[in-house]
Amino acid sequence: MQGSPRSTAWLAAVLACGLSAAASASTPTVLAAPQIFAPGVVSGPANDEAPTFSPDGQTLFFTRSGAGGGTIMESHRIDGHWSTPTIAPFSGRWPDLAPEISPDGKSLVYVSIRRSAGIPAHQQVGLWKVDRIGPGWDRWSEPQRLPATVNLSDAVWKASMARDGSLYFLSIDPGKGKRLYVSAFAHGSYQPAHPLSFSHYGDNDVDPEIAPDGSFMVFASDHRLPGDSKDHLFIVFRQGDGWAEPQPIRYAGDDAGGFSTDYLPHLGSDHRTLYFASDRAAPVGHYPHSPAQARAYLERIEQWDNGNLNAWSVSLEPLLRGHDPSGRAKD
């Protein structure tokens, strides 16, 4: 669960993977090429995953990890630049990852990997929640594990929250596999979760990211493109009380050769920009390099472009505009 461009075989797989009749009857929308996010600051030499943003877009949290597990980091936009990341007040004691700020900015849900009480050898991967105390971002409540209506198994991963309080997440059943779920929030508590209609065991869907108004979702899968075992991003739109057919998210250049793993999507504070984690690399350029080009390439490798995960972004505007009769992207 974890983008350089993909091969022409990938494009053929896209067209064969079961788009809706309307989508497959026309040319698929191709987004602009993804851009590296905050290189050398958020995207660094470690494994750095996609950030989640405060409602005003001035604070972010993301996961930085190495061989020993993940830590949730925070950064603040000051004078137009992202500050040097520091460990979030609620993280660091256990391996933590995949933070998600609520649409109102009052709470944050994240994945924590912890030993079970009384069973030292048994680890539980589950969702935990912290609430902000006061107007700033420096004081939080003690982390609380979400109830069994959400933590359905010992492997519950990346969550996303809608404006109505509903929580979307991934649960892995040891005997069946991966599936996306939703738990409604009503009467002050999370209700028993149920699987999303478009997500089935065998699809290997992971990492849901719901739009605040619930109108669309982005997720990753390593099984929906025939012959391709890497995670790629998909978008699915709300259709009445259910969901339309998921479709792959295509980028400029994805048919130029080579491909990468894209996963852990997060929407920006504008709800139109998509941030995601990827092991893609920037173009190297043509050889032979001049001395200046060689130095610039080495500097880039030392800052972030070393084959590890980094945060990338792309605008979903063209896809969203196509699903709004007014011609504007949906909220």
Side-chain angles (χ1 to χ4, degrees):
M1 293 176 295
Q2 310 267 321
S4 80
R6 304 167 185 80
S7 66
T8 52
W10 185 89
L11 178 56
V14 167
L15 298 178
C17 74
L19 299 176
S20 64
S24 54
S26 59
T27 303
T29 299
V30 179
L31 305 178
Q35 301 296 311
I36 186 69
F37 175 69
V41 181
V42 174
S43 294
N47 287 301
D48 297 303
E49 296 174 352
T52 180
F53 293 86
S54 60
D56 64 4
Q58 301 302 299
T59 295
L60 64 78
F61 294 84
F62 69 99
T63 307
R64 175 162 288 169
S65 63
T71 302
I72 295 175
M73 311 293 291
E74 69 173 290
S75 176
H76 304 273
R77 194 169 180 84
I78 302 173
D79 297 328
H81 301 280
W82 290 104
S83 64
T84 300
T86 58
I87 298 176
F90 50 83
S91 187
R93 185 179 179 189
W94 299 95
D96 300 326
L97 63 151
E100 178 83 4
I101 297 175
S102 63
D104 60 11
K106 295 180 179 180
S107 62
L108 182 147
V109 172
Y110 65 101
V111 176
S112 191
I113 304 174
R114 307 192 181 200
R115 292 190 300 271
S116 300
I119 315 176
H122 181 65
Q123 286 191 328
Q124 290 181 318
V125 182
L127 294 175
W128 292 67
K129 181 181 179 182
V130 289
D131 297 314
R132 283 174 61 198
I133 300 174
W137 294 89
D138 57 337
R139 297 181 61 212
W140 297 85
S141 66
E142 285 296 314
Q144 297 293 321
R145 182 177 169 86
L146 293 184
T149 52
V150 171
N151 282 309
L152 306 176
S153 69
D154 285 346
V156 175
W157 298 82
K158 203 267 186 190
S160 182
M161 288 175 277
R163 194 173 287 127
D164 65 4
S166 298
L167 193 70
Y168 295 77
F169 59 92
L170 160 68
S171 181
I172 303 177
D173 186 311
K176 298 179 180 179
K178 305 168 185 175
R179 198 168 186 184
L180 302 184
Y181 285 79
V182 60
S183 170
F185 190 78
H187 311 296
S189 62
Y190 290 104
Q191 304 302 299
H194 61 83
L196 298 180
S197 60
F198 65 84
S199 181
H200 309 91
Y201 292 120
D203 291 334
N204 279 12
D205 299 335
V206 299
D207 303 340
E209 178 71 0
I210 190 72
D213 67 356
S215 60
F216 69 92
M217 174 186 289
V218 177
F219 65 96
S221 172
D222 66 3
H223 201 67
R224 285 181 177 266
L225 299 182
D228 189 340
S229 62
K230 289 197 173 186
D231 281 299
H232 297 292
L233 298 175
F234 294 78
I235 190 168
V236 59
F237 290 91
R238 181 79 68 178
Q239 190 174 71
D241 293 331
W243 297 90
E245 187 73 17
Q247 57 183 291
I249 296 178
R250 293 201 49 213
Y251 315 123
D254 63 17
D255 59 351
F259 57 93
S260 299
T261 290
D262 301 338
Y263 75 124
L264 274 175
H266 287 279
L267 291 171
S269 58
D270 62 358
H271 311 148
R272 294 156 173 76
T273 305
L274 183 69
Y275 297 81
F276 59 95
S278 181
D279 60 358
R280 68 179 59 223
V284 173
H286 297 289
Y287 286 101
H289 280 172
S290 68
Q293 289 174 316
R295 288 192 296 271
Y297 179 53
L298 180 60
E299 180 180 1
R300 191 176 82 200
I301 291 174
E302 292 173 339
Q303 282 189 331
W304 66 272
D305 197 3
N306 58 6
N308 283 337
L309 294 171
N310 287 292
W312 292 75
S313 69
V314 67
S315 174
L316 293 178
E317 186 82 22
L319 280 175
L320 303 183
R321 189 186 306 120
H323 283 261
D324 187 339
S326 70
R328 295 180 297 104
K330 288 187 176 182
D331 187 21

